[in-house]
Amino acid sequence: MFIPATAPASARQNRTLEVSEISALLDRPLINLVFEAAAVHRRHHDPLRIQCSQLLSVKTGGCPEDCGYCSQSAHSKTAVEAEQLLSVAKTLEEARRAKEGGADRFCMGAAWREVRDGKDFDAVVEMVEGVKELGLEACVTLGMLAPHQAQRLQAAGLDYYNHNLDTGRSHYDEVVTTHSYDERLATLAAVRDAGIHVCSGGILGLGEAREARAELLAELANLEPQPESVPINSLVPIEGTPMGEEQGIDWSELVSVVAAARILMPRTTIRLSAGRRGLTEEAQALCFLAGANSIFMGDQLLTTPNPEPSTDAALFAKLGLQPASGS
Ligand code: SAM
Ligand code: DTB
Ligand code: SF4
């Protein structure tokens, strides 16, 4: 029996959510699901405020992992060339520009399997310190992390660590074979134990069934405590990758996952992440109504384009939305 959204959030956090009940939630009429999610959203968040993060790829391409969706995997022949780690100075210049553009969080991504202690990690720690000095929240996504590395990032002032579970456990082997689901969970535990906020979500459109989406939501919502941030990406198909020909998912599936995530994780920030260029304004509006309250802003994600800032500003104006950091 699914606990109705009118029950206090604590009621659902005290027990394990079953995949079957989340599947049933995703199968509900979309109109009812969005209505319920919108009600939960308003109880816990200002529905007019959207948290705005900006991304920068600080180490692009040449990744040893074989994630089938990714432009940066050395296993795929894509247009992305492998690069060295960006300098601290260049990174902080981009962070300054992001702040001027209205971002409140700066997220730095590296195409690494895992963090290795050494000069590159030292430089990333410096980047985190510099971003914090600019008065921005700092987030990094660097692949797998050992507990001592998480502690070092925490000491540098890191606010969030992004590490996505990407899809349900049953579908994971179809997506990546060079690391396991349990390794992803171990990194999330190291992040949590170090006292850094957890940012973890997934990608829709990897050829998964609805059941796998329910599994992903169950994994995330059953984490204790629940992640502070859950990015929901729609696959950006990349030519040359095993998933480059996948058909995009229908907007209604995306809205239902956003709504279910909001109902299951009432306090979490839910980010409408990669794939917004493929969505109409109306579909994005429904996602914001259903509880999405964060986006990536700026015209570039990691290696692919994002909506132009002026396009997002026009959408925000039409919907009466404001960046979370704005007055
Ligand atoms: N290497 C690190 C890792 O895998 O955790 C960090 C970088 S990785 C590019 C960060 C996340 O971006 C992935 O977990 C995935 O969810 C998302 N992502 C990558 N390529 C994508 C694509 N083509 N479409 C949508 N999301 C994508
Ligand atoms: C997340 O969930 N999405 C971001 C961020 N975390 C690192 C990455 C999106 C990448 C989209 C494809 C690209 O630009 O390469
Ligand atoms: Fe590497 Fe991350 Fe891309 Fe996987 S998603 S290939 S780990 S950069």
Side-chain angles (χ1 to χ4, degrees):
M1 173 68 191
F2 190 79
I3 296 177
T6 42
S10 55
R12 70 189 67 248
Q13 278 171 15
N14 287 339
R15 68 181 185 91
T16 304
L17 291 153
E18 301 296 335
V19 173
S20 57
E21 62 189 314
I22 299 178
S23 283
L25 191 64
L26 292 174
D27 286 343
R28 282 176 46 182
L30 187 61
I31 291 293
N32 290 348
L33 193 59
V34 170
F35 185 79
E36 179 173 337
V40 173
H41 188 47
R42 269 149 204 274
R43 277 205 291 279
H44 297 277
H45 305 269
D46 178 344
L48 301 181
R49 291 277 178 175
I50 304 291
Q51 186 271 323
C52 296
S53 293
Q54 188 147 336
L55 267 173
L56 177 68
S57 181
V58 296
K59 160 67 185 85
T60 304
C63 182
E65 301 305 273
D66 69 354
C67 307
Y69 51 77
C70 187
S71 64
Q72 306 196 70
S73 166
H75 297 256
S76 294
K77 227 177 152 33
T78 72
V80 171
E81 309 247 336
E83 289 171 16
Q84 301 282 309
L85 185 71
L86 225 58
S87 71
V88 176
K90 178 96 178 73
T91 301
L92 295 182
E93 196 183 303
E94 294 293 334
R96 209 167 293 124
R97 207 167 295 152
K99 186 170 184 183
E100 280 164 18
D104 53 83
R105 186 178 308 158
F106 195 62
C107 303
M108 295 160 278
W112 289 335
R113 167 185 165 77
E114 66 214 324
V115 172
R116 301 229 175 100
D117 295 320
K119 70 173 180 24
D120 279 2
F121 185 42
D122 296 347
V124 170
V125 168
E126 253 185 80
M127 291 172 187
V128 169
E129 288 166 347
V131 167
K132 293 298 293 178
E133 275 166 26
L134 290 172
L136 285 163
E137 286 190 317
C139 174
V140 291
T141 179
L142 311 171
M144 291 185 269
L145 204 58
H148 74 277
Q149 295 163 334
Q151 285 154 19
R152 193 160 166 219
L153 288 168
Q154 192 277 336
L158 186 72
D159 296 286
Y160 289 82
Y161 194 86
N162 168 247
H163 198 67
N164 292 338
L165 293 176
D166 280 341
T167 189
R169 191 185 275 271
S170 69
H171 192 60
Y172 204 61
D173 291 352
E174 307 291 319
V175 177
V176 51
T177 65
T178 48
H179 56 253
S180 70
Y181 214 71
D182 286 329
E183 284 176 307
R184 299 301 279 185
L185 289 168
T187 291
L188 293 182
V191 170
R192 176 60 76 206
D193 289 349
I196 300 167
H197 292 146
V198 169
C199 174
S200 185
I203 311 180
L204 307 180
L206 302 177
E208 76 283 357
R210 257 194 194 175
E211 176 89 359
R213 295 177 199 144
E215 283 174 31
L216 170 66
L217 288 170
E219 291 278 355
L220 295 168
N222 283 326
L223 289 173
E224 281 185 51
Q226 294 183 331
E228 283 78 11
S229 166
V230 168
I232 298 178
N233 299 280
S234 303
L235 177 71
V236 179
I238 310 281
E239 213 183 306
T241 64
M243 294 183 172
E245 302 293 316
E246 283 294 333
Q247 298 298 311
I249 57 145
D250 193 82
W251 61 268
S252 61
E253 293 290 328
L254 169 64
V255 173
S256 68
V257 170
V258 168
R262 170 52 67 224
I263 292 168
L264 297 166
M265 296 175 276
R267 295 188 168 82
T268 295
T269 299
I270 295 175
R271 181 171 310 114
L272 187 57
S273 300
R276 285 197 302 116
R277 267 169 61 106
L279 291 177
T280 62
E281 286 192 333
E282 294 89 330
Q284 292 189 66
L286 265 179
C287 289
F288 294 131
L289 185 66
N293 59 347
S294 166
I295 58 164
F296 284 120
M297 65 175 299
D299 57 15
Q300 184 79 3
L301 292 166
L302 289 175
T303 67
T304 65
N306 197 40
E308 292 294 327
S310 57
T311 308
D312 280 340
L315 177 60
F316 274 32
K318 284 185 197 178
L319 300 177
L321 297 174
Q322 286 185 345
S325 62
S327 51

